[in-house]
Amino acid sequence: TSAALALLGGSVAALVVWKWLGKKMIQKKMEEARTTRDEGMKKMAKAVQQFREQVPSDQTDAILSLPLLELTGRLREGSLSPRTVLYTYLEKALEVTQQTNCLRHFIPECEEQLQEIQRHKEKGLLYGIPVSIKDHIGHKGHLATCGLVQCLATPMEEDSVLVKVLKRQGAIPFAMTNVPQSLFSYDCSNPIFGQTLNPFNPQKSPGGSSGGEGALIAGGGSILGIGSDIGGSIRLPSSFCGLCGLKPTAERLRWVLDLPFQPCPCAVGPMARDVDSLALCMKALLCQEMFQLDPSVPPIPFNEEVYSSSTPLRVGYYDTDGYFPLPPCMRRAVKETRRALQAAGHQLVPISPPRVPYVMTELFVKTFFADGGRAWLDVFTGDVVDPRLKPQVNSCKMPRLVKKLLALLLKPLVSPYVAMISTCRSVKEMWNHHHQIQVYRSQFIAQWKELQLDVVLCPVLGPAFTTGYPGKLLSAISSTMLYNVLNFPAGVVPVSTVTEADEEELKLYQGCCDDPWDRTLKQAVSGAVGLPVAVQCVALPWQEELCLRFMKEVETLSRAK
């Protein structure tokens, strides 16, 4: 007996030591990653300083204030040099990341790309434009971390197709931006590189998962960025940070998420300060080079005629999806934009998106958690879970029976536990689930066609949440998630800011039934006076140019106020 007890005691001690060593190893890897980042920042700061010793900074503000279309014109005619523009943005990006922690890494090879574009005979559409890219968009020699320790070991062996095309068009990728751990969050925090803050208010989140992009561009440290969107990850940071962002039809710029689970088609798209910048980026990417490098991308060049058209549009609109009521200011934005569009000669038609609660609790959730969240949990193996993600991770870990009981006890509409029990329990059930998505998509398109709509105007989640709150309100993303399930192109345009009157009205907000989730939303968005307020613009699949044209119309009318 004593020998057995000694053996048991020894085994327990060995297990404790093993776990302790494992944690130490994880901490060491994270510290090394942070050190590498910090050293990269210092090198870049030194390079900027050396450049400034040669070239004075009297043009800095003028360069940073130029819209993308004007900047490309100045670079192409030679009145500005790509080198001056690059170092101006590098200098500004260093400043913005000190305030917001938005950068994961500078790309030192930007200097090589600078030399490369000057050797080209033809100047591409993005000649000399510094471009920032989201953490996980592959760049040769750099990590795609997704905020995970397991991704810190293997740098990319080659550029992703997207980066190759950007470079061929003369762009200079210069920085990789921070993301939430595993990308499955619309906050922007991970245990390796920390929390990214909103440049307008350090108490607020920049949104996610393209939150580093949102903060960098909104802070003025980048003029054009590439994000990705699997549930709102381009549109939510654009809403929170007052930017324009486009989620195309996923296959228009096809890109595979480098994670062991890919629940929805992952769309990549541009983020910038104005709609013309998004259009130029799409035009540059949808080129012969893209179609040759990735034959699975449909060879459909950008249709300039559709984007430039001024034909009046037939616009469907709604200010609530019947699932998660948004704050008063976001609904106000839709109403004001609707009135402005009507006054400008467009035809407005009220619509009601069908069965959004069903989409959220069945279609979206079963897509993400078909296996009860096991594949998602696997990405955290040998990792520290970010505190912002712990509620979701712990929910997934619960036994199925416990989840069912909690789902019965809690309000079914927005309970995260419902999400975790909506699993597909057989292959047949999974096939049926895919079929149900197609059925819903067909019904939505049929309603669209019946009403003879060109585009749809609707709300987007906002204004910016206080940091930490996105993890408590996964269900609040129904406004964006709907168009991931449908795989429609959707973009966000800032049209207003939060007023004192909005803040007063928020005090009366009760949401669905003044339950804990409604009260949490109220806390998340309070204290937002002066922060951006946006709307969402949607078109049918493959109609990115029409979506952008509508976004441009909304932008023009909002600026004319």
Side-chain angles (χ1 to χ4, degrees), residues 28 34 64 194 228 238 257 285 305 323 390 397 430 464-465 467 489:
K28 187 174 180 238
R34 284 192 287 268
L64 293 172
S228 63
S238 296
L257 183 59
L285 290 171
E305 194 182 329
Y323 179 71
K390 278 189 176 168
K397 285 180 176 176
M430 179 62 113
F465 279 25
T467 53

Side-chain angles (χ1 to χ4, degrees), residues 377-389:
L377 286 176
D378 285 348
V379 305
F380 298 102
T381 306
D383 218 320
V384 176
V385 177
D386 191 271
R388 313 280 193 223
L389 277 180

Side-chain angles (χ1 to χ4, degrees), residues 3 14 19 53 77 84 113 130 168 173 200 213 235 252 283 289 368 389 405 407 436 453 469 474 485 489 514 521:
K19 280 198 163 188
E53 283 166 7
E77 72 185 22
T84 301
Q113 174 63 3
R168 186 58 63 95
F200 296 118
E213 280 302 320
R235 290 161 292 159
R252 189 88 195 254
K283 190 177 178 179
E289 183 84 5
F368 270 83
L389 277 180
L405 286 168
Q436 292 306 322
L453 304 177
Y469 275 91
L474 183 60
V485 173
D514 202 23
L521 180 74

Side-chain angles (χ1 to χ4, degrees), residues 87-145:
Y87 276 90
T88 299
Y89 271 99
L90 284 169
E91 186 175 39
K92 185 64 179 177
L94 279 163
E95 183 191 311
V96 176
T97 200
Q98 281 166 6
Q99 296 161 357
T100 64
N101 188 37
C102 58
L103 289 188
R104 197 213 78 204
H105 202 62
F106 276 111
I107 299 172
E109 294 88 343
C110 63
E111 184 64 49
E112 290 168 29
Q113 174 63 3
L114 183 64
Q115 307 301 325
E116 180 65 27
I117 64 166
Q118 288 166 337
R119 283 194 289 269
H120 286 182
K121 284 180 185 174
E122 280 187 41
K123 292 177 179 176
L125 289 175
L126 296 172
Y127 174 76
I129 297 297
V131 175
S132 49
I133 56 176
K134 190 174 177 177
D135 158 281
H136 63 102
I137 292 169
H139 190 292
K140 186 180 178 180
H142 291 271
L143 299 167
T145 74

Side-chain angles (χ1 to χ4, degrees), residues 24 57 66 75 88 97 101 113 122 138 207 279 316 319 342 383 394 411 444 514 534 559-560:
K24 289 291 281 183
S57 58
L66 285 175
L75 284 160
T88 299
T97 200
N101 188 37
Q113 174 63 3
E122 280 187 41
D319 65 5
Q342 231 160 0
D383 218 320
N394 291 338
K411 175 185 170 185
F444 201 102
D514 202 23
R559 288 180 176 183

